[in-house]
Amino acid sequence: MSYNTLGDTIRSLRKRAGITQEELADGICSPVSVSRIENGLQMPSGYVLDALLSRLGTSTYGLCGVYYKTDRQLLFEQAARDVTELIRVGEIEKAKEKFGALSEPTSDDSISLQTYLFIRASILYYEKADDEDVTGIAKHALSLTRPGFDFDDFRGVPLTVEEANILCLIMASFSERGEKVKAIRLGEELIRSLRKNESSIGEFRVMLINTAFLLSQILESMGRYAEALSYCETAESLSIHNAEQVLLPNIEFMRAVLMHDDGDDGECLRILKTVIPYMDLIKMRADAERARAWASEALGVCI
């Protein structure tokens, strides 16, 4: 796999990052210049090229790793996607086994190394490992493309899908460490960033849904039910209207929990009787069992 020109490479990186030509150009050059560079009508100066590539999470040094992907890199990307999917469906032992077969990328391939560290931190998180380790590894992964990242104000920063995923994992690890207010602040800032840099890329929409859903869970654990329901409904609406329904069963389970918190066990049970069989149908077995256990404990019913 290769790109024909420098312009093709920049266009591909920009689209992968989910940003417009105007956002890429901001403070560096004019959007017209970016358009001309991407179309092969203009060669950027060294300074402009360095700045554009930095915003896209790479550098002139690392450009060869983007311009021509080796068979090894392509195999790594496919294996990483497979491991990520296993984590998503709760098959952590299988994910660990497949991840163990991956070789850690070298430091000069920062994009692959970032993915590797993110997966490693994700597995540790689901294994309930020390949350300081999870946070540390995730922050190191983020620093590979965003050194000196400001966690309190990044809504103007165009994030890649991987960077947004890492921030969501850090948010979850903050919550597990008991730093729930810190987690909420990070989640709210991430939502602002994703909305400000809205992208048509499906993975960004999934990340926005996932962040709203995680905020709902954290707020519910703090007894802030009205705010939790608001974020849960946001996640539900985004999921339905964008036809991105990977997370919808868990969102509906969260809504059932919130109905119970609000004293409406009738609506809670109605949702559970629909969503648990659906989880079974689409092979979300771990989630279905978790929902069944909750229904048995909270409502005294067997579904």
Side-chain angles (χ1 to χ4, degrees):
M1 173 181 174
S2 64
Y3 302 107
N4 294 324
T5 67
L6 175 63
D8 289 337
T9 304
I10 290 175
R11 182 187 295 109
S12 178
L13 288 169
R14 177 177 62 76
K15 288 185 175 180
R16 187 177 70 179
I19 61 176
T20 65
Q21 290 179 336
E22 289 76 12
E23 289 167 333
L24 176 57
D26 187 28
I28 298 173
C29 60
S30 70
V32 172
S33 291
V34 171
S35 177
R36 288 177 61 81
I37 291 167
E38 290 187 352
N39 287 305
L41 301 174
Q42 178 179 327
M43 283 298 293
S45 67
Y47 167 79
V48 168
L49 179 59
D50 284 344
L52 292 175
L53 292 175
S54 176
R55 182 160 289 170
L56 292 168
T58 186
S59 64
T60 50
Y61 177 76
L63 189 58
C64 289
V66 176
Y67 209 80
Y68 294 103
K69 289 187 177 179
T70 65
D71 288 342
R72 184 175 180 179
Q73 286 172 312
L74 291 172
L75 287 171
F76 173 84
E77 287 183 3
Q78 182 57 57
R81 283 193 292 271
D82 292 344
V83 175
T84 302
E85 178 60 18
L86 287 169
I87 293 171
R88 186 190 71 79
V89 298
E91 299 280 1
I92 304 303
E93 288 305 314
K94 289 182 181 179
K96 281 176 63 180
E97 182 180 349
K98 198 168 185 66
F99 178 70
L102 287 176
S103 297
E104 183 171 343
T106 56
S107 58
D108 60 345
D109 185 1
S110 60
I111 302 299
S112 296
L113 181 56
Q114 183 176 73
T115 299
Y116 180 90
L117 292 172
F118 167 65
I119 294 173
R120 181 181 164 199
S122 297
I123 290 173
L124 287 173
Y125 174 78
Y126 284 104
E127 286 190 314
K128 305 296 183 184
D130 190 317
D131 290 300
E132 286 195 21
D133 290 342
V134 174
T135 305
I137 294 169
K139 284 186 173 181
H140 176 47
L142 185 64
S143 73
L144 293 173
T145 54
R146 295 289 177 187
F149 188 79
D150 184 353
F151 287 88
D152 295 320
D153 183 9
F154 58 88
R155 70 194 69 179
V157 177
L159 300 169
T160 65
V161 171
E162 202 73 282
E163 288 165 350
N165 271 316
I166 291 167
L167 285 166
C168 201
L169 178 59
I170 293 171
M171 171 189 168
S173 70
F174 280 163
S175 178
E176 289 297 317
R177 287 165 56 177
E179 298 179 288
K180 295 183 184 294
V181 173
K182 195 173 181 179
I184 290 168
R185 282 202 297 263
L186 178 56
E188 289 175 340
E189 189 66 15
L190 180 54
I191 282 180
R192 292 187 194 103
S193 174
L194 291 168
R195 281 180 166 159
K196 180 177 175 60
N197 300 295
E198 189 170 352
S199 166
S200 61
I201 297 176
E203 289 167 293
F204 277 96
R205 293 196 296 268
V206 170
M207 182 51 52
L208 183 57
I209 294 164
N210 192 44
T211 305
F213 173 53
L214 184 51
L215 276 170
S216 177
Q217 291 178 299
I218 296 170
L219 288 161
E220 192 276 338
S221 72
M222 299 173 70
R224 293 163 62 174
Y225 302 134
E227 295 168 86
L229 182 59
S230 176
Y231 275 113
C232 186
E233 289 175 343
T234 295
E236 179 187 54
S237 177
L238 287 166
S239 182
I240 292 170
H241 291 132
N242 289 292
E244 298 287 355
Q245 298 180 14
V246 173
L247 295 168
L248 190 56
N250 280 317
I251 292 168
E252 292 305 319
F253 171 58
M254 187 70 234
R255 194 160 69 85
V257 171
L258 289 164
M259 290 298 98
H260 171 69
D261 291 335
D262 195 42
D264 191 347
D265 284 349
E267 177 64 6
C268 171
L269 188 57
R270 186 191 70 79
I271 296 170
L272 292 174
K273 285 181 176 179
T274 300
V275 77
I276 292 177
Y278 181 68
M279 286 175 169
D280 286 328
L281 181 66
I282 60 175
K283 297 181 171 55
M284 293 176 65
R285 297 184 183 92
D287 295 296
E289 287 309 307
R290 179 171 59 90
R292 281 194 177 92
W294 183 89
S296 176
E297 181 179 345
L299 303 176
V301 298
C302 181
I303 298 176

